[in-house]
Amino acid sequence: MRRIAGLVGATIALLSGGAAVAADLGAPALAPEVSVPSFSWTGPYVGVHAGYDWFKADSKVNGFSANSSPSGVTVGGYVGYNHQLDGSPLVLGIEADLGFSDAKDSGRGGGTRLRTDLGLNGAVRGRVGYAFERFLVYGAGGLAFADRDTKARGLANGSDDTVAVGWTIGGGVEAALSDNVTARVEYRYSDFGTDSFSVAGTRMKSDVTDNRVLLGLGYKFSTGW
């Protein structure tokens, strides 16, 4: 009986000691929280776009006006780089694009029918945006250029072309569909200024302004690229 009582006492003492040690150690530490970084617009990107453009050509030939309002489809591609300021929604960037427009129309003046088209055109623009996580509202502006072609039929017959240089401004909204894929919708206005053309010895002048709405799909590279 004494032996049993001794064993019981020893067991109680052992359990009490273990409980005390566990109390001294305290509750197991929780794993530290892992912070998930928010999306950043920083990095280089490439993309393609397509849309609709309409422009106005105010032309003069033989002292008469030969105005026209061409419109059509435009397609092209773009490449650029964004930098989002640390801890800020402000995004700064630069972008270049090149495209082709099939917009063309003709106007008659001074016995001559004058057709104007832009053909190849593009721009180099700076961008400033405000990010709402994966959405970006931005404005853009810079240098615009176009391969302008003029064809005349009537008292003067022939064609002439030049590289027109002007300015452009616009804005849009862009969304990150994933960490690498983005989509955008954009409006752009361009003024290519006044250019002179010479067709069969006849001097012509034409001033062109362009409006376009574009839809774009891009791929954003990681910042380590």
Side-chain angles (χ1 to χ4, degrees), residues 14-224:
L14 181 61
L15 293 175
S16 299
V21 171
D24 291 338
L25 292 176
L30 297 176
E33 292 185 3
V34 178
S35 61
V36 179
S38 60
F39 179 81
S40 173
W41 287 90
T42 297
Y45 60 90
V46 296
V48 293
H49 60 217
Y52 185 79
D53 73 319
W54 62 101
F55 64 94
K56 183 178 180 182
D58 294 330
S59 304
K60 300 287 185 181
V61 54
N62 296 326
F64 295 91
S65 295
N67 301 333
S68 58
S69 301
S71 61
V73 174
T74 179
V75 295
Y78 55 89
V79 59
Y81 185 90
N82 285 324
H83 177 72
Q84 184 167 357
L85 303 185
D86 292 340
S88 170
L90 188 63
V91 178
L92 305 177
I94 186 169
E95 180 177 299
D97 65 80
L98 184 65
F100 177 83
S101 171
D102 73 348
K104 58 189 64 170
D105 191 16
S106 59
R108 180 178 292 275
T112 300
R113 179 171 291 279
L114 195 66
R115 193 183 80 174
T116 301
D117 63 71
L118 291 181
L120 287 175
N121 59 89
V124 178
R125 307 179 300 160
R127 298 209 309 169
V128 179
Y130 191 95
F132 300 90
E133 289 293 333
R134 291 177 176 268
F135 288 90
L136 179 68
V137 179
Y138 66 90
L143 182 71
F145 55 90
D147 181 16
R148 291 192 53 195
D149 186 43
T150 295
K151 293 181 174 63
R153 295 291 183 270
L155 296 181
N157 291 284
S159 64
D160 193 13
D161 67 324
T162 188
V163 177
V165 179
W167 55 271
T168 183
I169 191 169
V173 178
E174 192 165 4
L177 306 181
S178 71
D179 288 345
N180 299 106
V181 179
T182 64
R184 64 164 69 170
V185 57
E186 174 182 298
Y187 165 77
R188 187 186 307 185
Y189 173 84
S190 302
D191 187 333
F192 295 101
T194 302
D195 292 291
S196 297
F197 301 89
S198 179
V199 177
T202 300
R203 201 73 175 168
M204 307 175 186
K205 288 188 176 183
S206 182
D207 179 87
V208 169
T209 56
D210 177 71
N211 297 270
R212 61 185 58 191
V213 175
L214 298 167
L215 300 177
L217 186 65
Y219 184 89
K220 174 184 173 296
F221 296 94
S222 62
T223 53

Side-chain angles (χ1 to χ4, degrees), residues 1-9:
M1 189 69 178
R2 289 182 179 178
R3 181 177 294 180
I4 294 174
L7 290 174
V8 172

